[in-house]
Amino acid sequence: MEKKIRNLFYFFIAFGIVLLAGCSSDNAQDEAGTASEDEKSGGTLVYGRGADSVSLDPINVTDGESIRVTHNIYETLLEYDHNLELQPKLATEYSSSEDGLTWTFQLREGVKFHDGTDFNADAVVFNFERWMDPENPYHEGDFPYYPFLYGGFKGDDNHLIESVTATGEHELEIVLKRKTAPFLSYLAISMFGIASPAAIEQYGAGIGENPVGTGPFKFEEWNRNNTITLSKNEEYWMDGKPYLDQVIYQVIPENSARLNALQTGEIDILDGMNASDTGIVENTDGIELIKRPSFNIGYMAFNMEKEPFDDPLVRKAINMAIDKEEIVDAFYNGLADPATSPLPPSLWSHDESLEKYDYNVEEAKKLLAEAGFEDGFTTELHTMSNPRPYLPEPMKIAEAIQSDLAEIGITAEIVSSEWATYLEDTKNGKHSMAMYGWTGVMADPDNFLYPNLSKTNAEVPAQNIAFYKSDEFTSLITEARETIDQDKRIELYQEAQQLFQEDAPWVMLAYTTPPLAQSDYVEDYNPHPMSNDLMTDVYLSN
């Protein structure tokens, strides 16, 4: 394939106009085939994806399409590397008191926000005060992830944080009210990127469209449902990085259209593709298949606050009626395994002994009759219109589920909506059944179970869209969160998984290895298991 046309001209699909785009470096690679630091500079990379971001204020979002952008604008105190191990970021060192309640952090010096103001301990305190205090003038929005992790907001009985204090210009102290095993992991979650206090004061609720962080790229422009443009942070604290001049996140809803855009050079990286198209990528010159390490779950949630899904017999019947293995075979092209647990197999404490719901139409009919629905019933199945890492072809998978349910007398009307609307509708409980999934943002079972299944998060607006309100389940995962002993935590999480299986709030579908593709001149793009890909090291070769 010829060197991409987009290095000269970038075609804006939505508007049908041609705009000048940045060119990659013309320097040749060295004899060993590895580019020098100077040869890595420059160029515009276009990242093709299926849906737009919801907001660029990370504390106000939970979706991957928002976080993949904000992660390049904002930085957290700690971060997870590709091996899912914690590493320093804006905090360079940390220590705790003997009782595990007082944590002291040394912060990175010489770092500036994109608006030129200084990053320091006062800035971190400002952000925490905004996040945790409903009375703070800049506490505008749902801030959904904060109460997931910290037991509510300031003033709530279970709020975890006693105080956050600047004990020096670059020293921070956080005091907890109780021991919390995954506390350090919380600080690595993209939702807790540190924003410029000056920018928050300037933009208020508008910070979601005017993000200002310390990251490798600065926000330039957002054309809703089309493009988000980021530019190189020339003052970034990592010497010589990033290499790219610009990163453009381009929305192309249809998987096939996105693949065509990669083949014609209109985009450089393709995220979200039909698993069946992997063969096309592998057999096309100039583009390459890459795979994101598996760290997700795909499922269908019942709204347990709506009849008849408040009846466990109905939920179990549907679990047995859906042929999960057939769905995986048909739509994932060998890049997924049928799921059983709400924890992925790559995460510690995943319970391999869980007894799965085997596909059994006759047994499903019996359970449905026992629940009083011998003739079935009519309902709705909601799905997003865009691909997700755990649901590459959501409409087709929904249609397969619809067909399976018809075999036991359930008529399910499919309701499809675009991503932002879908998130809003499901968190407000407008669905009866809904396709959903989760990509982990920290390497701890707490991140999969607490946001998605705790009673705490089952109130509108809910992340627990099954509205699963088991006191016993929530007690188990809360105890696990507050237990330091790893073996004891494993016992608690496995007990919680057994209870989940018995209560059946979801139909587990798949653990996936999401396929992506890129042009062969894209170098050092390394997909992160958590989908929050940093573009710091990426460059374009000749």
Side-chain angles (χ1 to χ4, degrees), residues 1-4 7 23-30 33-36 38-43 286 288 519-523 539-542:
M1 191 176 85
E2 293 182 358
K3 174 67 175 165
K4 65 172 184 175
N7 274 345
C23 298
S24 63
S25 172
D26 292 328
N27 293 331
Q29 293 185 339
D30 62 30
T34 302
S36 69
D38 289 342
E39 293 169 330
K40 294 179 179 179
S41 299
E288 303 168 340
S519 294
D520 58 9
Y521 48 76
V522 177
E523 306 287 352
Y539 67 99
L540 307 177
S541 65
N542 289 325

PDB file of all heavy atoms in Angstrom, residues 1-4 7 23-30 33-36 38-43 286 288 519-523 539-542:
ATOM      1  N   MET A   1       0.842  -1.201   0.000  1.00  0.00           N
ATOM      2  CA  MET A   1       0.000   0.000   0.000  1.00  0.00           C
ATOM      3  C   MET A   1       0.877   1.251   0.000  1.00  0.00           C
ATOM      4  O   MET A   1       1.925   1.282   0.618  1.00  0.00           O
ATOM      5  CB  MET A   1      -0.893   0.011   1.230  1.00  0.00           C
ATOM      6  CG  MET A   1      -1.975   1.074   1.185  1.00  0.00           C
ATOM      7  SD  MET A   1      -3.070   0.964   2.626  1.00  0.00           S
ATOM      8  CE  MET A   1      -2.140   1.920   3.799  1.00  0.00           C
ATOM      9  N   GLU A   2       0.507   2.266  -0.717  1.00  0.00           N
ATOM     10  CA  GLU A   2       1.294   3.486  -0.785  1.00  0.00           C
ATOM     11  C   GLU A   2       1.309   4.156   0.585  1.00  0.00           C
ATOM     12  O   GLU A   2       0.407   3.984   1.403  1.00  0.00           O
ATOM     13  CB  GLU A   2       0.677   4.448  -1.794  1.00  0.00           C
ATOM     14  CG  GLU A   2       0.771   3.946  -3.228  1.00  0.00           C
ATOM     15  CD  GLU A   2       0.204   4.951  -4.193  1.00  0.00           C
ATOM     16  OE1 GLU A   2      -0.282   6.003  -3.736  1.00  0.00           O
ATOM     17  OE2 GLU A   2       0.259   4.677  -5.379  1.00  0.00           O
ATOM     18  N   LYS A   3       2.385   4.913   0.820  1.00  0.00           N
ATOM     19  CA  LYS A   3       2.465   5.706   2.061  1.00  0.00           C
ATOM     20  C   LYS A   3       1.195   6.534   2.188  1.00  0.00           C
ATOM     21  O   LYS A   3       0.701   7.095   1.216  1.00  0.00           O
ATOM     22  CB  LYS A   3       3.707   6.611   1.992  1.00  0.00           C
ATOM     23  CG  LYS A   3       3.834   7.593   3.147  1.00  0.00           C
ATOM     24  CD  LYS A   3       4.077   6.882   4.436  1.00  0.00           C
ATOM     25  CE  LYS A   3       4.322   7.894   5.543  1.00  0.00           C
ATOM     26  NZ  LYS A   3       4.231   7.304   6.836  1.00  0.00           N
ATOM     27  N   LYS A   4       0.649   6.601   3.369  1.00  0.00           N
ATOM     28  CA  LYS A   4      -0.700   7.137   3.546  1.00  0.00           C
ATOM     29  C   LYS A   4      -0.890   8.545   2.990  1.00  0.00           C
ATOM     30  O   LYS A   4      -0.066   9.416   3.151  1.00  0.00           O
ATOM     31  CB  LYS A   4      -1.075   7.145   5.026  1.00  0.00           C
ATOM     32  CG  LYS A   4      -0.240   8.081   5.855  1.00  0.00           C
ATOM     33  CD  LYS A   4      -0.801   8.155   7.238  1.00  0.00           C
ATOM     34  CE  LYS A   4      -0.009   9.175   8.038  1.00  0.00           C
ATOM     35  NZ  LYS A   4      -0.549   9.389   9.334  1.00  0.00           N
ATOM     36  N   ASN A   7      -0.909  11.710   5.374  1.00  0.00           N
ATOM     37  CA  ASN A   7       0.261  12.472   5.805  1.00  0.00           C
ATOM     38  C   ASN A   7       0.327  13.827   5.105  1.00  0.00           C
ATOM     39  O   ASN A   7       1.008  14.725   5.540  1.00  0.00           O
ATOM     40  CB  ASN A   7       1.541  11.689   5.525  1.00  0.00           C
ATOM     41  CG  ASN A   7       1.864  10.740   6.656  1.00  0.00           C
ATOM     42  OD1 ASN A   7       1.305  10.871   7.724  1.00  0.00           O
ATOM     43  ND2 ASN A   7       2.739   9.785   6.409  1.00  0.00           N
ATOM     44  N   CYS A  23       2.668  16.285   8.898  1.00  0.00           N
ATOM     45  CA  CYS A  23       3.449  15.247   8.228  1.00  0.00           C
ATOM     46  C   CYS A  23       4.366  14.577   9.221  1.00  0.00           C
ATOM     47  O   CYS A  23       4.861  15.190  10.149  1.00  0.00           O
ATOM     48  CB  CYS A  23       4.297  15.856   7.120  1.00  0.00           C
ATOM     49  SG  CYS A  23       3.317  16.633   5.818  1.00  0.00           S
ATOM     50  N   SER A  24       4.596  13.304   9.011  1.00  0.00           N
ATOM     51  CA  SER A  24       5.526  12.588   9.870  1.00  0.00           C
ATOM     52  C   SER A  24       6.948  12.917   9.454  1.00  0.00           C
ATOM     53  O   SER A  24       7.214  13.432   8.380  1.00  0.00           O
ATOM     54  CB  SER A  24       5.280  11.082   9.771  1.00  0.00           C
ATOM     55  OG  SER A  24       5.518  10.640   8.457  1.00  0.00           O
ATOM     56  N   SER A  25       7.874  12.597  10.319  1.00  0.00           N
ATOM     57  CA  SER A  25       9.268  12.910  10.067  1.00  0.00           C
ATOM     58  C   SER A  25       9.778  12.206   8.826  1.00  0.00           C
ATOM     59  O   SER A  25       9.467  11.056   8.568  1.00  0.00           O
ATOM     60  CB  SER A  25      10.108  12.488  11.282  1.00  0.00           C
ATOM     61  OG  SER A  25      11.479  12.601  10.991  1.00  0.00           O
ATOM     62  N   ASP A  26      10.596  12.925   8.028  1.00  0.00           N
ATOM     63  CA  ASP A  26      11.156  12.340   6.821  1.00  0.00           C
ATOM     64  C   ASP A  26      12.494  11.667   7.072  1.00  0.00           C
ATOM     65  O   ASP A  26      13.087  11.092   6.165  1.00  0.00           O
ATOM     66  CB  ASP A  26      11.346  13.431   5.747  1.00  0.00           C
ATOM     67  CG  ASP A  26      10.005  13.949   5.248  1.00  0.00           C
ATOM     68  OD1 ASP A  26       9.050  13.166   5.219  1.00  0.00           O
ATOM     69  OD2 ASP A  26       9.935  15.145   4.896  1.00  0.00           O
ATOM     70  N   ASN A  27      12.996  11.753   8.304  1.00  0.00           N
ATOM     71  CA  ASN A  27      14.292  11.155   8.573  1.00  0.00           C
ATOM     72  C   ASN A  27      14.232   9.641   8.485  1.00  0.00           C
ATOM     73  O   ASN A  27      13.276   9.019   8.916  1.00  0.00           O
ATOM     74  CB  ASN A  27      14.775  11.548   9.980  1.00  0.00           C
ATOM     75  CG  ASN A  27      15.064  13.029  10.075  1.00  0.00           C
ATOM     76  OD1 ASN A  27      15.425  13.652   9.083  1.00  0.00           O
ATOM     77  ND2 ASN A  27      14.915  13.580  11.270  1.00  0.00           N
ATOM     78  N   ALA A  28      15.258   9.058   7.938  1.00  0.00           N
ATOM     79  CA  ALA A  28      15.319   7.596   7.843  1.00  0.00           C
ATOM     80  C   ALA A  28      15.708   6.999   9.173  1.00  0.00           C
ATOM     81  O   ALA A  28      16.332   7.633  10.013  1.00  0.00           O
ATOM     82  CB  ALA A  28      16.331   7.202   6.772  1.00  0.00           C
ATOM     83  N   GLN A  29      15.319   5.734   9.374  1.00  0.00           N
ATOM     84  CA  GLN A  29      15.717   5.026  10.575  1.00  0.00           C
ATOM     85  C   GLN A  29      17.186   4.644  10.465  1.00  0.00           C
ATOM     86  O   GLN A  29      17.760   4.573   9.379  1.00  0.00           O
ATOM     87  CB  GLN A  29      14.851   3.787  10.759  1.00  0.00           C
ATOM     88  CG  GLN A  29      13.409   4.126  11.066  1.00  0.00           C
ATOM     89  CD  GLN A  29      12.612   2.881  11.371  1.00  0.00           C
ATOM     90  OE1 GLN A  29      12.992   1.786  10.997  1.00  0.00           O
ATOM     91  NE2 GLN A  29      11.513   3.060  12.047  1.00  0.00           N
ATOM     92  N   ASP A  30      17.795   4.369  11.610  1.00  0.00           N
ATOM     93  CA  ASP A  30      19.188   3.970  11.592  1.00  0.00           C
ATOM     94  C   ASP A  30      19.344   2.556  11.045  1.00  0.00           C
ATOM     95  O   ASP A  30      18.377   1.867  10.772  1.00  0.00           O
ATOM     96  CB  ASP A  30      19.814   4.105  12.992  1.00  0.00           C
ATOM     97  CG  ASP A  30      19.148   3.207  14.020  1.00  0.00           C
ATOM     98  OD1 ASP A  30      18.648   2.130  13.635  1.00  0.00           O
ATOM     99  OD2 ASP A  30      19.151   3.572  15.205  1.00  0.00           O
ATOM    100  N   GLY A  33      17.452  -0.350  12.285  1.00  0.00           N
ATOM    101  CA  GLY A  33      16.008  -0.368  12.114  1.00  0.00           C
ATOM    102  C   GLY A  33      15.260   0.297  13.242  1.00  0.00           C
ATOM    103  O   GLY A  33      14.048   0.294  13.286  1.00  0.00           O
ATOM    104  N   THR A  34      15.981   0.909  14.190  1.00  0.00           N
ATOM    105  CA  THR A  34      15.352   1.586  15.313  1.00  0.00           C
ATOM    106  C   THR A  34      15.562   3.087  15.169  1.00  0.00           C
ATOM    107  O   THR A  34      16.694   3.539  14.979  1.00  0.00           O
ATOM    108  CB  THR A  34      15.950   1.102  16.651  1.00  0.00           C
ATOM    109  OG1 THR A  34      15.766  -0.297  16.746  1.00  0.00           O
ATOM    110  CG2 THR A  34      15.280   1.799  17.820  1.00  0.00           C
ATOM    111  N   ALA A  35      14.501   3.836  15.251  1.00  0.00           N
ATOM    112  CA  ALA A  35      14.612   5.278  15.069  1.00  0.00           C
ATOM    113  C   ALA A  35      15.303   5.919  16.257  1.00  0.00           C
ATOM    114  O   ALA A  35      15.115   5.515  17.405  1.00  0.00           O
ATOM    115  CB  ALA A  35      13.223   5.887  14.881  1.00  0.00           C
ATOM    116  N   SER A  36      16.122   6.945  15.984  1.00  0.00           N
ATOM    117  CA  SER A  36      16.705   7.731  17.064  1.00  0.00           C
ATOM    118  C   SER A  36      15.638   8.640  17.634  1.00  0.00           C
ATOM    119  O   SER A  36      14.559   8.789  17.063  1.00  0.00           O
ATOM    120  CB  SER A  36      17.869   8.556  16.522  1.00  0.00           C
ATOM    121  OG  SER A  36      17.377   9.572  15.653  1.00  0.00           O
ATOM    122  N   ASP A  38      15.571  11.875  17.703  1.00  0.00           N
ATOM    123  CA  ASP A  38      15.260  12.963  16.778  1.00  0.00           C
ATOM    124  C   ASP A  38      14.344  12.495  15.656  1.00  0.00           C
ATOM    125  O   ASP A  38      13.495  13.242  15.168  1.00  0.00           O
ATOM    126  CB  ASP A  38      16.543  13.529  16.176  1.00  0.00           C
ATOM    127  CG  ASP A  38      17.347  14.324  17.192  1.00  0.00           C
ATOM    128  OD1 ASP A  38      16.757  14.718  18.213  1.00  0.00           O
ATOM    129  OD2 ASP A  38      18.550  14.533  16.970  1.00  0.00           O
ATOM    130  N   GLU A  39      14.517  11.247  15.226  1.00  0.00           N
ATOM    131  CA  GLU A  39      13.745  10.732  14.109  1.00  0.00           C
ATOM    132  C   GLU A  39      12.315  10.369  14.493  1.00  0.00           C
ATOM    133  O   GLU A  39      11.497  10.074  13.627  1.00  0.00           O
ATOM    134  CB  GLU A  39      14.441   9.505  13.513  1.00  0.00           C
ATOM    135  CG  GLU A  39      15.758   9.851  12.848  1.00  0.00           C
ATOM    136  CD  GLU A  39      16.576   8.626  12.499  1.00  0.00           C
ATOM    137  OE1 GLU A  39      16.470   7.615  13.212  1.00  0.00           O
ATOM    138  OE2 GLU A  39      17.320   8.675  11.511  1.00  0.00           O
ATOM    139  N   LYS A  40      12.001  10.408  15.779  1.00  0.00           N
ATOM    140  CA  LYS A  40      10.665  10.064  16.232  1.00  0.00           C
ATOM    141  C   LYS A  40       9.737  11.274  16.300  1.00  0.00           C
ATOM    142  O   LYS A  40       8.567  11.139  16.639  1.00  0.00           O
ATOM    143  CB  LYS A  40      10.728   9.408  17.623  1.00  0.00           C
ATOM    144  CG  LYS A  40      11.414   8.052  17.640  1.00  0.00           C
ATOM    145  CD  LYS A  40      11.449   7.484  19.049  1.00  0.00           C
ATOM    146  CE  LYS A  40      12.112   6.121  19.096  1.00  0.00           C
ATOM    147  NZ  LYS A  40      12.167   5.575  20.471  1.00  0.00           N
ATOM    148  N   SER A  41      10.247  12.435  16.001  1.00  0.00           N
ATOM    149  CA  SER A  41       9.464  13.648  16.225  1.00  0.00           C
ATOM    150  C   SER A  41       8.492  13.927  15.084  1.00  0.00           C
ATOM    151  O   SER A  41       8.801  13.696  13.924  1.00  0.00           O
ATOM    152  CB  SER A  41      10.395  14.845  16.408  1.00  0.00           C
ATOM    153  OG  SER A  41      11.233  14.651  17.539  1.00  0.00           O
ATOM    154  N   GLY A  42       7.333  14.452  15.440  1.00  0.00           N
ATOM    155  CA  GLY A  42       6.417  15.029  14.469  1.00  0.00           C
ATOM    156  C   GLY A  42       5.320  14.122  13.984  1.00  0.00           C
ATOM    157  O   GLY A  42       5.315  12.919  14.215  1.00  0.00           O
ATOM    158  N   GLY A  43       4.361  14.734  13.321  1.00  0.00           N
ATOM    159  CA  GLY A  43       3.289  13.988  12.694  1.00  0.00           C
ATOM    160  C   GLY A  43       1.973  14.058  13.435  1.00  0.00           C
ATOM    161  O   GLY A  43       1.903  14.401  14.611  1.00  0.00           O
ATOM    162  N   GLY A 286       0.265  -3.248   4.379  1.00  0.00           N
ATOM    163  CA  GLY A 286       0.319  -1.899   4.932  1.00  0.00           C
ATOM    164  C   GLY A 286      -0.442  -1.700   6.219  1.00  0.00           C
ATOM    165  O   GLY A 286      -0.352  -0.634   6.831  1.00  0.00           O
ATOM    166  N   GLU A 288      -1.720  -3.742  10.056  1.00  0.00           N
ATOM    167  CA  GLU A 288      -1.341  -4.824  10.956  1.00  0.00           C
ATOM    168  C   GLU A 288      -2.430  -5.068  11.992  1.00  0.00           C
ATOM    169  O   GLU A 288      -3.057  -4.116  12.469  1.00  0.00           O
ATOM    170  CB  GLU A 288      -0.043  -4.469  11.688  1.00  0.00           C
ATOM    171  CG  GLU A 288       1.124  -4.161  10.780  1.00  0.00           C
ATOM    172  CD  GLU A 288       2.298  -3.546  11.531  1.00  0.00           C
ATOM    173  OE1 GLU A 288       2.084  -3.019  12.644  1.00  0.00           O
ATOM    174  OE2 GLU A 288       3.412  -3.592  10.982  1.00  0.00           O
ATOM    175  N   SER A 519      -1.915   1.084  10.827  1.00  0.00           N
ATOM    176  CA  SER A 519      -1.043   1.163   9.674  1.00  0.00           C
ATOM    177  C   SER A 519       0.370   0.783  10.102  1.00  0.00           C
ATOM    178  O   SER A 519       0.768   1.017  11.252  1.00  0.00           O
ATOM    179  CB  SER A 519      -1.060   2.573   9.092  1.00  0.00           C
ATOM    180  OG  SER A 519      -2.347   2.880   8.571  1.00  0.00           O
ATOM    181  N   ASP A 520       1.145   0.214   9.163  1.00  0.00           N
ATOM    182  CA  ASP A 520       2.431  -0.344   9.564  1.00  0.00           C
ATOM    183  C   ASP A 520       3.499   0.702   9.836  1.00  0.00           C
ATOM    184  O   ASP A 520       4.599   0.368  10.277  1.00  0.00           O
ATOM    185  CB  ASP A 520       2.935  -1.360   8.529  1.00  0.00           C
ATOM    186  CG  ASP A 520       3.077  -0.765   7.139  1.00  0.00           C
ATOM    187  OD1 ASP A 520       2.945   0.469   6.994  1.00  0.00           O
ATOM    188  OD2 ASP A 520       3.320  -1.542   6.186  1.00  0.00           O
ATOM    189  N   TYR A 521       3.184   1.988   9.591  1.00  0.00           N
ATOM    190  CA  TYR A 521       4.137   3.044   9.937  1.00  0.00           C
ATOM    191  C   TYR A 521       3.901   3.581  11.350  1.00  0.00           C
ATOM    192  O   TYR A 521       4.619   4.466  11.800  1.00  0.00           O
ATOM    193  CB  TYR A 521       4.065   4.195   8.917  1.00  0.00           C
ATOM    194  CG  TYR A 521       2.656   4.659   8.634  1.00  0.00           C
ATOM    195  CD1 TYR A 521       1.960   5.447   9.549  1.00  0.00           C
ATOM    196  CD2 TYR A 521       2.017   4.287   7.462  1.00  0.00           C
ATOM    197  CE1 TYR A 521       0.667   5.842   9.298  1.00  0.00           C
ATOM    198  CE2 TYR A 521       0.712   4.699   7.200  1.00  0.00           C
ATOM    199  CZ  TYR A 521       0.050   5.475   8.126  1.00  0.00           C
ATOM    200  OH  TYR A 521      -1.242   5.871   7.882  1.00  0.00           O
ATOM    201  N   VAL A 522       2.891   3.093  12.041  1.00  0.00           N
ATOM    202  CA  VAL A 522       2.663   3.488  13.437  1.00  0.00           C
ATOM    203  C   VAL A 522       3.597   2.658  14.318  1.00  0.00           C
ATOM    204  O   VAL A 522       3.565   1.429  14.294  1.00  0.00           O
ATOM    205  CB  VAL A 522       1.199   3.268  13.851  1.00  0.00           C
ATOM    206  CG1 VAL A 522       1.006   3.607  15.333  1.00  0.00           C
ATOM    207  CG2 VAL A 522       0.266   4.110  12.994  1.00  0.00           C
ATOM    208  N   GLU A 523       4.412   3.323  15.093  1.00  0.00           N
ATOM    209  CA  GLU A 523       5.419   2.648  15.908  1.00  0.00           C
ATOM    210  C   GLU A 523       5.160   2.877  17.404  1.00  0.00           C
ATOM    211  O   GLU A 523       4.728   3.959  17.810  1.00  0.00           O
ATOM    212  CB  GLU A 523       6.831   3.168  15.563  1.00  0.00           C
ATOM    213  CG  GLU A 523       7.195   3.092  14.091  1.00  0.00           C
ATOM    214  CD  GLU A 523       7.468   1.679  13.611  1.00  0.00           C
ATOM    215  OE1 GLU A 523       7.529   0.751  14.449  1.00  0.00           O
ATOM    216  OE2 GLU A 523       7.612   1.494  12.380  1.00  0.00           O
ATOM    217  N   TYR A 539       5.092   7.076  17.614  1.00  0.00           N
ATOM    218  CA  TYR A 539       5.589   7.936  16.535  1.00  0.00           C
ATOM    219  C   TYR A 539       5.286   7.286  15.193  1.00  0.00           C
ATOM    220  O   TYR A 539       4.837   6.132  15.131  1.00  0.00           O
ATOM    221  CB  TYR A 539       7.086   8.219  16.689  1.00  0.00           C
ATOM    222  CG  TYR A 539       7.998   7.024  16.513  1.00  0.00           C
ATOM    223  CD1 TYR A 539       8.664   6.800  15.306  1.00  0.00           C
ATOM    224  CD2 TYR A 539       8.212   6.122  17.557  1.00  0.00           C
ATOM    225  CE1 TYR A 539       9.510   5.710  15.139  1.00  0.00           C
ATOM    226  CE2 TYR A 539       9.058   5.038  17.398  1.00  0.00           C
ATOM    227  CZ  TYR A 539       9.702   4.837  16.190  1.00  0.00           C
ATOM    228  OH  TYR A 539      10.531   3.753  16.026  1.00  0.00           O
ATOM    229  N   LEU A 540       5.504   8.016  14.118  1.00  0.00           N
ATOM    230  CA  LEU A 540       5.224   7.542  12.765  1.00  0.00           C
ATOM    231  C   LEU A 540       6.530   7.394  12.006  1.00  0.00           C
ATOM    232  O   LEU A 540       7.330   8.340  11.941  1.00  0.00           O
ATOM    233  CB  LEU A 540       4.305   8.518  12.031  1.00  0.00           C
ATOM    234  CG  LEU A 540       3.007   8.896  12.748  1.00  0.00           C
ATOM    235  CD1 LEU A 540       2.231   9.917  11.927  1.00  0.00           C
ATOM    236  CD2 LEU A 540       2.155   7.670  13.030  1.00  0.00           C
ATOM    237  N   SER A 541       6.751   6.220  11.450  1.00  0.00           N
ATOM    238  CA  SER A 541       7.967   5.983  10.675  1.00  0.00           C
ATOM    239  C   SER A 541       7.698   6.220   9.199  1.00  0.00           C
ATOM    240  O   SER A 541       6.558   6.385   8.768  1.00  0.00           O
ATOM    241  CB  SER A 541       8.458   4.555  10.897  1.00  0.00           C
ATOM    242  OG  SER A 541       7.521   3.626  10.374  1.00  0.00           O
ATOM    243  N   ASN A 542       8.748   6.203   8.412  1.00  0.00           N
ATOM    244  CA  ASN A 542       8.591   6.355   6.958  1.00  0.00           C
ATOM    245  C   ASN A 542       8.075   5.065   6.341  1.00  0.00           C
ATOM    246  O   ASN A 542       8.314   3.996   6.853  1.00  0.00           O
ATOM    247  CB  ASN A 542       9.940   6.709   6.323  1.00  0.00           C
ATOM    248  CG  ASN A 542      10.338   8.133   6.696  1.00  0.00           C
ATOM    249  OD1 ASN A 542       9.492   9.004   6.807  1.00  0.00           O
ATOM    250  ND2 ASN A 542      11.623   8.350   6.897  1.00  0.00           N
TER     251      ASN A 542
END
